[in-house]
């Protein structure tokens, strides 16, 4: 494990961060779905309250109470949705920063490998004073 490069470690962190981002997006989608359900239920209650059917008039107080409870639930879900939206943005930003760091580390590793290859070529072609002294001994 210790022989992994910095870019490989960052690549793994990027994968984990992207998974966290997907989880946050799922939470946001689920909250949005719940809000849509609540809004549909509120529409149904409004239709029942506005109905001219005498059966609905008998339950008007129950409908009004239900509408109030749904309104409270919608406000709670709206707050949760805003929190999830912020979390998605934060997780995405973290992932982007990690990905940028991974690219920089990869580029640095490539430059270092290229530099080392050039140094190896120079050493092979001209030999270094230290290596020539070792050969004479």
């Amino acid at each position: 494990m210790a022989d992994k490069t910095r870019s490989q470690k960052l690549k793994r962190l990027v994968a984990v961060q992207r998974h966290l981002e997907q989880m946050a997006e799922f939470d946001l989608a689920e909250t949005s779905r719940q809000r849509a359900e609540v809004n549909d239920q509120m529409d149904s209650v409004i239709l029942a309250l506005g109905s001219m059917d005498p059966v609905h008039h008998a339950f008007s107080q129950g409908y009004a109470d239900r509408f109030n409870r749904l309104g409270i639930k919608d406000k709670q879900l709206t707050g949760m949705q805003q929190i999830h939206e912020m979390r998605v943005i934060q997780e995405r930003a973290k992932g982007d920063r990690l990905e940028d760091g991974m690219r920089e580390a990869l580029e640095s590793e490539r430059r270092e490998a290229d530099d080392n290859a050039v140094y190896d070529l120079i050493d092979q072609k001209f030999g270094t004073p230290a290596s020539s002294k070792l050969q004479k001994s």
Side-chain angles (χ1 to χ4, degrees):
M1 283 271 186
D3 59 344
K4 285 194 174 197
T5 63
R6 184 170 185 265
S7 65
Q8 290 171 326
K9 292 175 184 176
L10 285 170
K11 183 178 181 180
R12 181 169 152 81
L13 285 175
V14 167
V16 169
Q17 188 60 44
R18 294 301 181 200
H19 183 69
L20 290 172
E21 181 182 336
Q22 288 176 342
M23 290 171 48
E25 287 172 347
F26 175 78
D27 290 343
L28 176 60
E30 179 61 21
T31 303
S32 296
R33 184 196 60 76
Q34 289 177 359
R35 276 196 71 209
E37 272 183 22
V38 167
N39 286 326
D40 287 344
Q41 291 174 6
M42 289 174 78
D43 290 343
S44 297
V45 171
I46 288 172
L47 287 174
L49 276 170
S51 174
M52 292 299 170
D53 189 345
V55 173
H56 289 298
H57 288 289
F59 297 107
S60 63
Q61 185 58 45
Y63 290 148
D65 292 342
R66 172 100 173 117
F67 186 79
N68 286 334
R69 285 192 306 273
L70 288 170
I72 291 169
K73 188 171 183 177
D74 185 53
K75 286 180 185 177
Q76 291 171 340
L77 288 172
T78 300
M80 286 176 54
Q81 185 174 7
Q82 290 171 343
I83 290 169
H84 290 311
E85 287 169 352
M86 289 187 310
R87 192 171 135 225
V88 166
I89 290 168
Q90 288 174 341
E91 298 297 346
R92 186 170 293 141
K94 287 178 190 176
D96 291 346
R97 282 193 306 271
L98 283 171
E99 200 166 345
D100 289 344
M102 179 193 69
R103 286 189 195 116
E104 290 172 8
L106 192 57
E107 183 61 32
S108 175
E109 290 165 6
R110 286 181 184 151
R111 273 190 307 242
E112 184 179 345
D114 290 346
D115 290 349
N116 288 338
V118 169
Y119 293 141
D120 289 344
L121 277 174
I122 292 171
D123 285 346
Q124 288 174 1
K125 180 71 175 170
F126 299 109
T128 58
S131 65
S132 62
K133 287 180 185 176
L134 289 174
Q135 290 173 354
K136 292 180 183 176
S137 304

